[in-house]
Amino acid sequence: MARIVAAPEALTYFEARSRVLDAAHAGPEELVPLEQARGRAARRPLVAALALPPFRNSSMDGAAVRAADLALADRRAAELPVAAVIAAGASPSPLAAGSCAWIMTGAPVPDGADAVVPIEELEAIDDADPTRAGGKVRFTAPTRLQANIREAGADVRAGERFWEAGRELSAHDLGLLGGLGQREVLVGRRPRVAVISTGDELLALGEPMRPGAIYDSNRPMLGALLQECGAELISSEHAGDDPTRVGEAIVRALASADVTITIGGVSAGAFDPVKLGLGGVEGISLWRVAMKPGRPQAFGAPSGRLFFGLPGNPASVACVFEALVRPALRKWQGFSQLERPRVDARATHDMESRAGRTDFVRVTLAHRDGAWWASEAGAQISGHVAPQARAHGLLIVSEETPRLTAGQTAPVWVLRWPENE
Ligand code: AMP
Ligand code: MG
């Protein structure tokens, strides 16, 4: 592998993206209990091993009957002796013609019974009591066959296929897995990520402000973005601007983390410490990617680990994360969908771009007249932190489009949905 070179390589966003995704192989799998599986990437399709419900059962508290015994109930109330009480979890004997049985929601419907009449629609007579057999029940109307009966397999057929590998498991998916009795599920392991920020001008949060300094706003944002896409943050440190110290921090991180991410220090500045500090690390290249924001970057896959050298400006960190880091981390975990959910939106005003460059515009979204409309969430200046806090998404102006004019449609990766009106 080539050593880092002084002259960065010029790439389009799509070239950069395919290099990153080619290097991001699926990581290891692990079995996790359902309580830890929400948001993880299922690594196997789900094929139901059972039918659900597993047996024919009642959806109401009431009386199990043979519908034919109530056929005359519209002219003259039918009265049936109560032969049994069937609680949830019971194994009832068959229901004899001319009798009924108290039955609870979720309890097995006895053979012979073909309907359940809800308790609200019947009258207990002759000392009948729903906790025991005996007495009689009066029915004032006929019932239809199958009324209030859930057939075995009506919900899930045994062998039914629900999803393919790559599914992002939701809370509701865990309900289905739980219904099938599955205690654990095979998912992609969380990538262990180390973050290193550079810059002698950076203050730790809570430190008093001093002239020439700014707070390290990227680390809390990046840490949260990483967690949100499934990563485990194993370390997050500020290494300053000394290239030796930064280089050592990178080497240490690469030895223990699946993914190492640096912030800042990769551009054309004479003192850029990531650029200088990477001198001894093989397999990492400096890039100039035709995207805005986020042009200067470093990337590599030394010994199968991933390394991202992000630019320092907050908007660049936010955009390169969505455009390159998130897809790679999601692929590593085995997700089939690599990006944020996407909508097509129409621009409310002209948006600057340039042919040959992919622009990521921080936008707010509004739904009007059956369409999504996107407006810039503030000045598109890479050093600003407010526009991405305001934004609902990143609008993508592709490299073929020299500028987006008002009314034109472009895809938007949704970072968060606007609140309901
Ligand atoms: P650099 O690429 O190191 O020249 O950084 C570009 C710009 O981003 C500079 O204005 C830095 O002060 C700023 N910057 C770098 N790292 C951070 C950080 N962690 N948080 C906020 N701003 C940063
Ligand atoms: Mg710097």
Side-chain angles (χ1 to χ4, degrees), residues 201-283:
E201 75 281 21
L202 294 186
L203 289 175
L205 310 188
E207 263 189 81
M209 185 47 88
R210 61 174 159 73
I214 57 168
Y215 288 114
D216 185 341
S217 65
N218 282 330
R219 271 198 304 152
M221 173 180 69
L222 183 58
L225 287 167
L226 286 163
Q227 278 174 1
E228 210 183 341
C229 83
E232 182 192 342
L233 196 59
I234 58 165
S235 64
S236 175
E237 62 177 303
H238 175 229
D241 266 337
D242 170 27
T244 310
R245 189 171 158 212
V246 169
E248 284 166 3
I250 292 171
V251 169
R252 248 194 336 270
L254 284 171
S256 60
D258 301 306
V259 181
T260 297
I261 303 180
T262 59
I263 303 169
V266 276
S267 53
F271 305 113
D272 277 325
V274 172
K275 188 174 65 179
L276 303 170
L278 278 172
V281 184
E282 298 209 359

Side-chain angles (χ1 to χ4, degrees), residues 107-308:
V109 175
D111 286 347
D114 51 23
V116 170
V117 179
I119 198 154
E120 297 81 359
E121 294 171 19
L122 46 81
E123 199 184 321
I125 53 173
D126 291 353
D127 292 331
D129 168 348
T131 63
R132 56 181 170 75
K136 280 187 171 179
V137 166
R138 177 180 291 143
F139 302 87
T140 54
T143 185
R144 96 193 131 67
L145 279 177
Q146 297 303 112
N148 304 308
I149 291 181
R150 306 187 277 215
E151 284 300 327
D155 183 8
V156 172
R157 283 176 288 104
E160 191 171 346
R161 200 176 178 93
F162 281 91
W163 59 68
E164 302 305 315
R167 168 92 157 193
E168 179 169 337
L169 294 171
S170 72
H172 307 103
D173 292 340
L174 304 184
L176 174 56
L177 288 167
L180 292 168
Q182 220 173 294
R183 203 154 45 94
E184 295 173 317
V185 59
L186 197 65
V187 297
R189 174 161 78 62
R190 296 185 182 284
R192 301 190 180 109
V193 183
V195 170
I196 301 162
S197 70
T198 66
D200 285 341
E201 75 281 21
L202 294 186
L203 289 175
L205 310 188
E207 263 189 81
M209 185 47 88
R210 61 174 159 73
I214 57 168
Y215 288 114
D216 185 341
S217 65
N218 282 330
R219 271 198 304 152
M221 173 180 69
L222 183 58
L225 287 167
L226 286 163
Q227 278 174 1
E228 210 183 341
C229 83
E232 182 192 342
L233 196 59
I234 58 165
S235 64
S236 175
E237 62 177 303
H238 175 229
D241 266 337
D242 170 27
T244 310
R245 189 171 158 212
V246 169
E248 284 166 3
I250 292 171
V251 169
R252 248 194 336 270
L254 284 171
S256 60
D258 301 306
V259 181
T260 297
I261 303 180
T262 59
I263 303 169
V266 276
S267 53
F271 305 113
D272 277 325
V274 172
K275 188 174 65 179
L276 303 170
L278 278 172
V281 184
E282 298 209 359
I284 296 176
S285 322
L286 286 173
W287 285 355
R288 290 241 169 283
V289 183
M291 62 185 280
K292 189 186 175 201
R295 194 161 83 111
Q297 295 179 34
F299 176 76
S303 319
R305 310 291 173 92
L306 295 178
F307 175 87
F308 292 91

